[in-house]
Every structure is written in structure tokens, then in C-alpha cells.
Amino acid sequence: MTPQRNDVTPVPASATLSARTGSRRRGVVGFFSALAVVGFAAAMVAPTGVALAEQPAEASPESAYSVALTETQNLTVSVEGAAIAPIQRGTFSVYVTPKPTPTPTPTTASSSKSSSAAPLFYTGGGAPAEWMAAAGIAESDWGYVDYIVSRESGWNPNATNKSSGACGLVQALPCSKVPGNGYDPVDNLRWATGYATGRYGSWAGAHAFWTNNHWW
């Protein structure tokens, strides 16, 4: 006969069920916690694993620009046989075109040169009376004119003073003062009329000065 223990307190059935239910819940929560830890670890390890699994990308093929650079030739261009040094810019060569030499413009003879040329000698012929009449000298003055001209040039239209350059019948000085040709007797006498009247008042005054000074 089993002795009865009075010191044992009976456990209610509801308490026993609640203890079993709590153990089961703790087991379920632990299972899902373990799954969460495993999932987090997998998420951390996956990118690294993928990165390690990827193969290195192959080198890209050369572009058309790089191929052109390697195939470009460094040429030297020459103009008229003279080599022109290229200006280096990177891997290309730029050539400077030389400026063309300007063509010299031919110079023409100046018109002043022809005007300053010596006058031509007289070859027209004639006589003193004809020349004085053509020059507009009055017959009353022909004696004065003949006196001066005979002593200045001997009525030689082409008479020239080698030292001073005076020319013509009245020895105009300089010869270029005579409009037209200093050796032309009519041009020379026409100019002499203006000189005689302008400086001495008339051919008579020029004659008087010449007889006293032997020049006029």
C-alpha cells in the first residue's frame, strides 16, 4: 500500500497545459530566429560571392581614332625644293605654307625726267629778220636786238656756254627758263623780249646796259 503524501500539492491541469504551450511557442520563435540569421548572413555573403564569380571584362578593341593615330605617317612637305619643318601638335604634324614672294612691279620712266632732258638743237633754218618778226619784236627794236645777239651768240641758235650752260641766241641762263626749246630761235627771242622789258624797261634800255657792262 502506497503511503499518501500530504505535503504534495496537486498542480492544476490548466497550469500544465500553459507550460507546454509556452515551451512550444519558444521553440517556434527560436526556429524563425535561426532562419532570419541564416537569411541575413546569406544576404551579406551573396554580393561578394557574385563579385568573385564574375570574370574580368575583356579589353575593348581599338577604336578607329587610335588605329588612325598608329597608322598616321609623319610626312615632310617641300615647296620649291625647300623643306618646311612641321609644327608638332600632339601626334599630328601641321605644316605652315610660306608666303609667296611678291613680284616686283616694273618702274616706268618718270615724265619729269623727259621734261628735264636737254633741249634739242635747232635745225629749222631761217634768218634773223624772220626770227625777230616771228617772235613779235617791233622793227624799231631790231637794231638793239641785233647788237646784243651778235655779241652773245653771233646769231647761232645752238650756241652753248660750256661753263654756265647758257643757251641760244641771247644765251638764256638757265636754258630751262625758255618756254618750249631754248635752242629754237623764235622761242629764245620771245623769252628775251619779256626779259628785256621786264628788267630794263625795253630793248633800248637793255642795249644801254649791255654797252656799259658788256653783259645783260
Side-chain angles (χ1 to χ4, degrees):
M1 180 177 181
T2 301
Q4 293 182 354
R5 296 182 61 183
N6 297 326
D7 58 346
V8 177
T9 304
V11 178
S14 60
T16 303
L17 291 175
S18 63
R20 290 179 180 178
T21 302
S23 289
R24 188 176 299 172
R25 287 178 180 176
R26 283 194 297 270
V28 171
V29 171
F31 174 74
F32 282 106
S33 297
L35 286 179
V37 171
V38 172
F40 178 76
M44 294 295 294
V45 175
T48 305
V50 172
L52 293 177
E54 290 181 355
Q55 297 296 325
E58 296 182 358
S60 60
E62 294 182 341
S63 64
Y65 176 76
S66 61
V67 172
L69 289 180
T70 58
E71 293 181 354
T72 300
Q73 297 180 356
N74 186 12
L75 302 178
T76 301
V77 179
S78 61
V79 177
E80 297 182 358
I84 303 172
I87 301 174
Q88 297 294 335
R89 295 183 179 177
T91 57
F92 291 97
S93 299
V94 178
Y95 304 95
V96 179
T97 304
K99 294 183 178 180
T101 304
T103 304
T105 304
T107 57
T108 57
S110 175
S111 58
S112 60
K113 183 177 180 181
S114 59
S115 62
S116 62
L120 300 176
F121 289 114
Y122 179 73
T123 59
E130 296 174 357
W131 297 335
M132 287 188 287
I137 300 173
E139 290 187 17
S140 58
D141 292 331
W142 284 8
Y144 303 128
V145 175
D146 179 64
Y147 182 89
I148 294 174
V149 173
S150 296
R151 286 158 178 77
E152 289 288 342
S153 64
W155 285 100
N156 178 10
N158 296 321
T160 305
N161 189 311
K162 294 182 179 179
S163 60
S164 65
C167 71
L169 294 178
V170 297
Q171 293 293 281
L173 181 67
C175 192
S176 59
K177 280 187 176 181
V178 179
N181 186 352
Y183 289 109
D184 185 283
V186 176
D187 291 342
N188 194 279
L189 289 173
R190 189 179 291 114
W191 172 83
T193 299
Y195 175 78
T197 56
R199 182 163 184 172
Y200 304 108
S202 63
W203 273 108
H207 172 264
F209 183 88
W210 206 103
T211 57
N212 292 326
N213 299 280
H214 304 288
W215 63 273
W216 73 314

